[in-house]
Amino acid sequence: MSTKGRVHGIIANLVIVQADGPVSQNEICFITSGATRLMAEVIKINGQNAYVQVFESTRGVKIGNEVEFAGHMLEVTLGPGILSKNYDGLQNDLDKMDGVFLKRGDYTHPLDPGKKWHFKPLAHVGDTVEAASWLGEVQENAMPHKIMVPFTFKGSYSIKSLAGEGDYTIDDTIAVLLDSNQQEHKVSMTQKWPVKVPITAYREKPRPFKLLETGVRTLDTLNPIVEGGTGFIPGPFGAGKTVLQHAISKQAEADIVIVAACGERANEVVEIFTEFPELEDKRTGRKLMERTTIIANTSNMPVAAREASVYTAMTLAEYYRSMGLRVLLMADSTSRWAQALREMSNRLEELPGPDAFPMDLPAIISNFYARAGYTYLKNGKTGSITFIGTVSPAGGNLKEPVTESTKKAARCFYALSQQRADSKRYPAVDPIDSYSKYLEYPEFAEYINERISDTWIDNVNEVKTMLQRGKETYDQINILGDDGVPIEYHVVYWKSEVIDSVICQQDGFDKIDQNCPMERQENILQNTLSIIRSNYQFETFIDVSAYFKKVINFMKQINYTEFQSEGYYKFENELKALLKEQNIDLG
Amino acid sequence: METKAFQKIYTKITQITKATCSLNATGVGNEELAMVNGKLAQVVKIIGDTVTLQVFGGTEGIPTNAEVTFLGKAPTLKVSDQLAGRFFNAYGDPIDGGPAVEGHEIEIGGPSVNPVRRKQPSELIATGIAGIDLNNTLVSGQKIPFFADPDQPYNQVMAMVALRAKADKIILGGMGLTNDDYLFYKNVFDNAGALDRIISFVNTTDNPPVERLLVPDMALTAAEYFAVQKNESVLVLLTDMTLYADALSIVSNRMDQIPSKDSMPGSLYSDLAKIYEKAVQFPAGGSITIIAVTTLSGGDITHAIPDNTGYITEGQLFLRRDTDIGKVIVDPFRSLSRLKQLVISKKTREDHAGVMSAAIRLFADAANAKTKQENGFDLTEYDERTLKFARDYSNRLLAIDVNVEIDEMIDTGWELFSKHFNKEEVGIKQTLVDKYWKNN
Ligand SMILES: Nc1ncnc2c1ncn2[C@@H]1O[C@H](COP(=O)(O)OP(=O)(O)OP(=O)(O)O)[C@@H](O)[C@H]1O
Ligand SMILES: [Mg+2]
């Protein structure tokens, strides 16, 4: 018999339920209000009172309304059919809902139960298997989707029978497994998993080391993120967090893209709906949307489901990682999730931490980031989740709990600066404040030495130092006046401007420039180094700026032109001629 | 509001604060309305049989033995075509002396649009103001506030925008409007012969502040009726959202909630997002566009109200007095319409984007020259020309008294470029320069 209860109190979307039996923390329950059943999650228990957060508006809920506990935590349904779906934070398929407006208590199936998938066995009868072992495979939008032993299975099993190649629905039995007591267990193509529990069915999680190419220069060249790495993008409103995240999702070298729109604008999700189905993936020739899943819990959708949405997204990512795929997970914005926690903690009258956020916010954030990572699966294959979250600090001030907690958890920090955004220096990532801890990893250095060159990291650091010097020099010029400093100061400043203009800045709306492959980035870095390492002769400070403006113009034109095309060489020759004036040879 | 027959009447209030009162009652639904001593109230909290009510009109003069009846429903509005041309208070009751509206009664603050059922906004809204149309083009289905200091003429600009916007309906949600401003809107709409397109829900400074909390939902419920049922393009004006947020903080503080930044409730982001996200382009053609006003104190946009607003809306429009020309302009640096790229040089002439960016860049050069000048450094000849350009640009394009078509704005841009600069200095794509450069 499942536990039942009755509503005893209502404070906005926090409801107090008097339960008649055992209840567990984070258990799901349903409140019957009139003709609708509202889903809720237990977040605190005190005696026989269960405090539940309702994933919907509680308008009309009355004292005494019936409550039914589900006996499980918030779960996602895993199986083929997740890709190219648009889900809400609780994994309801938004496309299956009727009407223009969302209806309370309208829960839809996340997968397509009637649909047949072409299954090919990978394992054999008699094989010993365990949770996450690959039994077979179906093609999901041309992606190999592994059918695995459910993650909930404990210990080892032997395969008693396995379906042959053929078409099956997600609920058909495709294997029968025998446990050590010779008990039979049926396995289908679908399974459930509680979102707040990490899926750890892998052998090992080493430190990540492989560069994840994003085509965004300020990341790849200056502060690279790696496959299975973590990063975050804090910035005031309008600084370009969402535009940068969208650029990374479109371009990064990932097999699967999962975007969690967590408490942000609906129109931005509509932009993804409109653009991604049109965008072609250069490597596969298929549309980007085919390997993308969107979790849309926009700011006007229920607040409690906002918190759930990031966990739902992470669990889906873990599922695909177990198949040996590279998953890119984006969450915009993790601050909205933290605010949802704050609203609840407030209603529970918990002792508040800084800025009224819950005391355990840092732990919640770091536990979440820890679920990302590069893994060796038990079969020796690899899979990864790269996670990048945005943070929306109140007043744009980075000294606030969410930014500070995230800084401790994420390894890459991409700080967007208001000043850069105001002067339209996009992407507005501050090249001096931002960092990537991976640059310090010996594993990463080793990988880069092999993949690019053993001077790469030193070169990158040289460029960063020059940016720093340029900034300091600029401040001096501003205090002392153009005439008040030696001409060399202007040269240093303009060298840093070259770096800023051709590496840091990148036109997100230009077809060519928006996506810069690593090969090109190497080329740009080489050219830039040749320019900043050289000495120049100038008569006046006005000549310095005039000269470097021309240099920058040619280099930008090069960035805008197709790599190694006719036009490309034309601009490169013009640049070479200009540098010849100063007796400089371009590598 | 009328009450239903056979209702249980309670007469024992156990607790009263400035905005709320509590009593013992049963069978009450969350967010249900009640009448307390003739004043409208709404259930905000129930624990066991203790019900807490938020009294919209304030609790002044409410005795502990006041009569309390529950109405069995959340706040509602009767919607029909009869709404057009009418003025209402925050409760949706007529204040223009006309009869009550008949129509379908629906709860305000209704559900959200399913994001997969939205369409990407794509219709340009022309206002004639170049600071908006040229630099920060508005699009139907957008939500955007004016960030303005209280002494700036934001109500005038908003009324102007509303009348020129060619919307099928204009819905005014006035919160804490002074009576003078209310009459101003009424007159402007009247003089423009636009009264039949206008619907107003107004809470003036004479009314209790907590009543304001109903205004945006009333206005947007009416908007949804016309946008969904009639496929009309509806423009909703919300002024002043800062006063709305102030009312939110009054209520949450009375309910002993722990305030977050600037004594605002922790839920401010969600509360404001619920309102602004009602802006939408429906697939069947109707749309709701929201233009709001958020007054700043001392220009501080890091305050919780403008800050949260900026994180929700699709850009913001800044008004600023340009002391060089003595006029109010739409500040090109701090203003941003995030949806402009959906229409600029797509629905407008091909050179729109180029002219817009070039002019703003040159205006920025002028600002730098000005700083140099103020710090006592010498100006170059180029600096001098940027300053002259800036004056012309402010006067002919940025000032809010400009009213021209977009093509003319773009032409004016070219005219100013050729007057003050050479082609290289303007830095627009060569093909466009060849086609549009004005040879004086
Ligand atoms: N790389 C870019 N190139 C050109 N314009 C950009 C770029 N990044 C941002 N912008 C401009 O800035 C606007 C705001 O960017 P975006 O929506 O990404 O900001 P945000 O940081 O996500 O803000 P919020 O916190 O309010 O969501 C965009 O609409 C666009 O006009
Ligand atoms: Mg954003």
Side-chain angles (χ1 to χ4, degrees):
Chain A
M1 261 306 285
S2 63
T3 301
K4 295 215 167 20
R6 292 200 178 268
V7 172
H8 175 66
I10 309 151
I11 312 156
N13 73 329
L14 175 71
V15 168
I16 304 167
V17 180
Q18 271 173 355
D20 68 3
V23 173
S24 48
Q25 176 73 336
N26 294 111
E27 185 170 347
I28 291 298
C29 64
F30 292 88
I31 301 169
T32 306
S33 166
T36 48
R37 268 159 58 87
L38 307 175
M39 190 164 156
E41 178 187 17
V42 176
I43 51 172
K44 177 177 149 178
I45 302 167
N46 188 1
Q48 60 164 176
N49 281 343
Y51 291 69
V52 307
Q53 59 171 343
V54 185
F55 295 120
E56 311 262 5
S57 152
T58 53
R59 183 178 276 184
V61 173
K62 291 181 176 173
I63 301 299
N65 279 165
E66 269 179 43
V67 182
E68 201 171 329
F69 289 84
H72 61 77
M73 297 197 272
L74 179 63
E75 295 173 329
V76 285
T77 304
L78 303 170
I82 291 170
L83 296 182
S84 66
K85 286 270 190 322
N86 304 311
Y87 293 128
D88 72 2
L90 306 174
Q91 211 202 1
N92 291 298
D93 184 349
L94 288 167
D95 289 286
K96 290 201 186 93
M97 295 182 177
D98 294 329
V100 170
F101 291 94
L102 296 169
K103 278 190 281 297
R104 274 205 301 176
D106 189 1
Y107 304 120
T108 55
H109 200 295
L111 303 177
D112 309 302
K115 180 171 171 163
K116 296 238 174 182
W117 298 89
H118 190 72
F119 174 83
K120 280 189 195 147
L122 293 174
H124 304 278
V125 171
D127 284 358
T128 304
V129 292
E130 57 186 321
S133 293
W134 299 352
L135 296 173
E137 166 178 299
V138 300
Q139 294 293 312
E140 182 186 14
N141 298 347
M143 271 292 157
H145 183 117
K146 303 291 188 285
I147 305 302
M148 293 174 275
V149 175
F151 303 130
T152 47
F153 279 33
K154 294 193 175 73
S156 60
Y157 298 76
S158 76
I159 302 180
K160 181 172 183 225
S161 67
L162 184 62
E165 179 169 348
D167 296 333
Y168 305 91
T169 68
I170 51 168
D171 293 314
D172 289 338
T173 299
I174 57 110
V176 177
L177 308 182
L178 288 178
D179 65 20
S180 50
N181 299 323
Q182 301 301 304
Q183 284 281 346
E184 289 191 1
H185 300 268
K186 285 183 181 166
V187 172
S188 69
M189 294 204 273
T190 178
Q191 57 170 318
K192 294 193 174 195
W193 186 262
V195 298
K196 294 220 171 132
V197 180
I199 297 173
T200 54
Y202 46 78
R203 192 197 314 142
E204 197 191 340
K205 204 189 232 183
R207 300 216 300 182
F209 59 94
K210 273 190 190 167
L211 174 73
L212 178 80
E213 215 182 301
T214 66
V216 179
R217 289 189 289 269
T218 193
L219 268 65
D220 297 354
T221 299
L222 297 181
N223 291 304
I225 190 155
V226 294
E227 245 183 81
T230 51
F232 80 117
I233 310 172
F237 64 78
K241 297 181 288 296
T242 307
V243 171
L244 180 58
Q245 258 201 350
H246 285 192
I248 298 170
S249 349
K250 287 178 200 165
Q251 299 167 189
E253 286 250 305
D255 301 314
I256 306 287
V257 179
I258 300 180
V259 181
C262 170
E264 291 288 306
R265 301 171 186 82
N267 275 342
E268 290 173 348
V269 186
V270 175
E271 195 180 312
I272 303 182
F273 296 154
T274 321
E275 278 186 16
F276 278 32
E278 303 298 322
L279 282 175
E280 196 164 296
D281 181 358
K282 288 202 187 76
R283 282 166 298 143
T284 61
R286 302 183 65 112
K287 301 290 189 237
L288 179 56
M289 196 61 206
E290 295 185 41
R291 52 188 185 87
T292 303
T293 298
I294 296 163
I295 318 285
N297 210 95
T298 56
S299 58
N300 52 340
M301 289 163 80
V303 178
R306 220 191 263 169
E307 189 216 342
S309 70
V310 293
Y311 288 98
T312 297
M314 182 58 91
T315 311
L316 297 183
E318 287 172 333
Y319 177 58
Y320 281 98
R321 175 172 66 185
S322 309
M323 298 176 200
L325 297 172
R326 295 170 301 175
V327 184
L328 177 68
L329 176 62
M330 297 287 186
D332 186 11
S333 149
T334 60
S335 294
R336 306 302 163 219
W337 155 42
Q339 285 179 340
L341 293 173
R342 175 168 71 184
E343 284 184 31
M344 263 309 144
S345 151
N346 222 247
R347 284 182 198 124
L348 286 172
E349 298 178 0
E350 289 176 349
L351 201 62
D355 289 2
F357 281 106
M359 286 295 231
D360 56 348
L361 182 73
I364 295 174
I365 291 178
S366 62
N367 285 342
F368 185 80
Y369 273 80
R371 289 175 70 169
Y374 187 84
T375 56
Y376 292 117
L377 306 179
K378 288 182 175 155
N379 61 8
K381 301 277 195 310
T382 63
S384 63
I385 298 172
T386 310
F387 175 62
I388 301 179
T390 64
V391 170
S392 319
N397 178 0
L398 299 190
K399 291 221 171 326
E400 57 91 42
V402 185
T403 313
E404 287 180 336
S405 306
T406 310
K407 214 166 176 180
K408 286 178 200 139
R411 310 301 286 167
C412 294
F413 173 63
Y414 302 116
L416 298 192
S417 116
Q418 180 76 63
Q419 221 182 346
R420 286 183 72 86
D422 285 347
S423 51
K424 312 279 177 240
R425 291 183 176 227
Y426 291 120
V429 177
D430 186 316
I432 292 170
D433 291 349
S434 304
Y435 60 77
S436 162
K437 292 274 188 216
Y438 299 114
L439 279 173
E440 299 160 14
Y441 282 26
E443 300 93 322
F444 178 72
E446 206 174 300
Y447 178 82
I448 287 292
N449 290 351
E450 233 163 79
R451 163 94 201 270
I452 304 178
S453 85
D454 53 7
T455 52
W456 177 262
I457 293 179
D458 290 339
N459 289 344
V460 168
N461 286 328
E462 181 179 341
V463 161
K464 285 184 169 176
T465 309
M466 195 69 205
L467 279 168
Q468 177 78 39
R469 278 184 63 201
K471 190 181 170 203
E472 289 160 10
T473 314
Y474 182 70
D475 291 341
Q476 297 253 300
I477 298 173
N478 270 342
I479 296 166
L480 301 170
D482 289 334
D483 287 333
V485 296
I487 287 189
E488 185 51 27
Y489 278 43
H490 289 273
V491 175
V492 170
Y493 165 65
W494 278 99
K495 282 178 177 175
S496 75
E497 276 292 289
V498 171
I499 303 169
D500 193 326
S501 311
V502 308
I503 297 179
C504 303
Q505 291 174 50
Q506 189 170 359
D507 191 335
F509 296 121
D510 180 81
K511 273 205 183 65
I512 304 286
D513 196 33
Q514 63 185 190
N515 189 357
C516 191
M518 216 48 214
E519 192 191 2
R520 259 194 106 144
Q521 296 193 36
E522 290 174 50
N523 194 279
I524 294 171
L525 183 68
Q526 273 316 322
N527 288 348
T528 309
L529 283 168
S530 305
I531 288 166
I532 66 171
R533 283 174 182 164
S534 300
N535 294 316
Y536 298 80
Q537 306 297 324
F538 292 107
E539 296 289 323
T540 69
F541 72 85
I542 294 178
D543 299 339
V544 182
S545 62
Y547 181 80
F548 278 104
K549 273 183 188 169
K550 278 190 252 169
V551 171
I552 290 172
N553 179 40
F554 286 135
M555 294 184 81
K556 280 203 141 163
Q557 296 303 336
I558 292 174
N559 284 352
Y560 279 126
T561 318
E562 196 174 330
F563 195 40
Q564 297 174 337
S565 64
E566 204 179 304
Y568 177 93
Y569 289 116
K570 181 180 142 266
F571 287 122
E572 196 181 63
N573 285 333
E574 290 186 76
L575 176 64
K576 280 181 176 161
L578 182 64
L579 292 170
K580 262 278 168 312
E581 292 175 16
Q582 292 276 353
N583 294 319
I584 296 165
D585 259 337
L586 199 60
Chain B
M1 291 243 169
E2 61 203 299
T3 51
K4 281 184 287 179
F6 313 121
Q7 271 171 334
K8 180 152 191 208
I9 299 172
Y10 297 89
T11 52
K12 192 156 183 268
I13 292 178
T14 53
Q15 200 193 15
I16 303 179
T17 71
K18 267 194 187 159
T20 64
C21 65
S22 307
L23 70 155
N24 290 346
T26 51
V28 175
N30 193 30
E31 298 185 14
E32 184 175 333
L33 289 179
M35 294 300 288
V36 179
N37 215 27
K39 287 180 170 175
L40 198 67
Q42 186 174 19
V43 175
V44 288
K45 179 174 170 180
I46 314 176
I47 301 287
D49 58 4
T50 306
V51 177
T52 305
L53 294 161
Q54 160 185 310
V55 184
F56 290 108
T59 52
E60 292 91 340
I62 292 184
T64 50
N65 64 351
E67 278 194 4
V68 180
T69 52
F70 289 92
L71 308 187
K73 61 180 185 187
T76 57
L77 178 70
K78 284 192 176 145
V79 292
S80 72
D81 291 352
Q82 294 177 16
L83 287 167
R86 301 293 307 277
F87 286 79
F88 305 96
N89 64 12
Y91 304 116
D93 297 329
I95 51 170
D96 52 8
V101 169
E102 286 164 26
H104 185 49
E105 182 173 16
I106 50 177
E107 291 191 351
I108 66 167
S112 308
V113 174
N114 184 342
V116 303
R117 302 280 179 260
R118 284 173 175 255
K119 239 189 95 193
Q120 187 162 44
S122 63
E123 293 304 317
L124 184 150
I125 298 179
T127 70
I129 300 172
I132 297 176
D133 296 3
L134 181 65
N135 293 342
N136 298 292
T137 328
L138 301 184
V139 185
S140 65
Q142 185 168 12
K143 45 195 178 287
I144 191 165
F146 280 98
F147 280 175
D149 280 326
D151 59 339
Q152 277 159 347
Y154 51 84
N155 280 326
Q156 284 78 341
V157 178
M158 210 151 82
M160 209 145 71
V161 168
L163 288 174
R164 293 184 194 160
K166 301 196 177 80
D168 297 322
K169 289 284 176 306
I170 301 167
I171 303 185
L172 174 68
M175 290 154 281
L177 270 189
T178 61
N179 201 44
D180 294 0
D181 283 337
Y182 165 56
L183 294 174
F184 161 79
Y185 272 108
K186 217 173 161 181
N187 278 335
V188 173
F189 291 153
D190 206 357
N191 293 341
L195 268 186
D196 56 330
R197 294 195 287 137
I198 311 277
I199 303 157
S200 295
F201 296 89
V202 178
N203 155 276
T204 64
T205 40
D206 305 339
N207 307 129
V210 178
E211 282 181 14
R212 281 174 211 157
L213 296 178
L214 293 166
V215 169
D217 283 345
M218 284 286 173
L220 289 160
T221 302
E224 277 177 351
Y225 168 74
F226 288 103
V228 177
Q229 306 292 330
K230 307 281 157 175
N231 294 333
E232 292 189 358
S233 66
V234 183
L235 179 64
V236 177
L237 311 177
L238 299 174
T239 174
D240 165 0
M241 287 299 283
T242 297
L243 296 177
Y244 172 82
D246 285 343
L248 277 179
S249 76
I250 294 175
V251 174
S252 75
N253 290 350
R254 296 290 171 255
M255 290 187 58
D256 303 325
Q257 282 178 19
I258 308 153
S260 65
K261 201 165 167 274
D262 299 314
S263 358
M264 284 293 143
S267 58
L268 181 64
Y269 176 85
S270 307
D271 295 335
L272 292 177
K274 260 224 169 73
I275 294 171
Y276 284 116
E277 280 292 333
K278 290 274 181 190
V280 56
Q281 176 71 55
F282 289 106
S287 67
I288 299 175
T289 308
I290 301 180
I291 302 183
V293 167
T294 300
T295 49
L296 307 176
S297 69
D300 178 15
I301 62 157
T302 64
H303 183 282
I305 300 171
D307 185 50
N308 278 285
T309 304
Y311 276 120
I312 294 164
T313 53
E314 285 147 347
Q316 60 282 329
L317 298 167
F318 268 94
L319 297 181
R320 164 165 79 83
R321 177 160 290 279
D322 183 338
T323 45
D324 288 337
I325 62 162
K327 283 185 185 174
V328 174
I329 63 168
V330 181
D331 188 330
F333 300 141
R334 302 168 76 196
S335 305
L336 171 71
S337 160
R338 299 201 194 188
L339 300 190
K340 69 180 173 197
Q341 51 257 46
L342 298 175
V343 293
I344 285 187
S345 295
K346 289 182 180 148
K347 302 263 160 146
T348 62
R349 225 164 67 188
E350 54 173 347
D351 52 333
H352 182 164
V355 169
M356 168 193 78
S357 332
I360 296 177
R361 203 162 28 72
L362 294 166
F363 197 60
D365 284 351
N368 287 339
K370 217 167 160 209
T371 314
K372 250 181 171 180
Q373 195 174 36
E374 282 160 6
N375 293 342
F377 294 123
D378 291 340
L379 294 188
T380 63
E381 180 263 350
Y382 174 78
D383 290 335
E384 302 278 5
R385 282 187 287 131
T386 59
L387 288 177
K388 288 200 190 98
F389 164 78
R391 285 185 75 89
D392 277 353
Y393 181 54
S394 266
N395 243 325
R396 307 243 336 249
L397 288 171
L398 296 181
I400 55 167
D401 57 6
V402 172
N403 182 14
V404 294
E405 297 286 322
I406 295 184
D407 280 0
E408 196 182 331
M409 297 172 191
I410 303 173
D411 286 336
T412 307
W414 286 111
E415 183 197 324
L416 299 182
F417 292 156
S418 64
K419 182 172 165 200
H420 298 286
F421 302 104
N422 59 46
K423 292 178 184 172
E424 290 70 42
E425 286 167 332
V426 171
I428 296 180
K429 235 172 62 198
Q430 197 57 43
T431 48
L432 296 176
V433 172
D434 292 344
K435 193 161 164 192
Y436 294 102
W437 189 263
K438 300 231 186 299
N439 292 306
N440 303 345

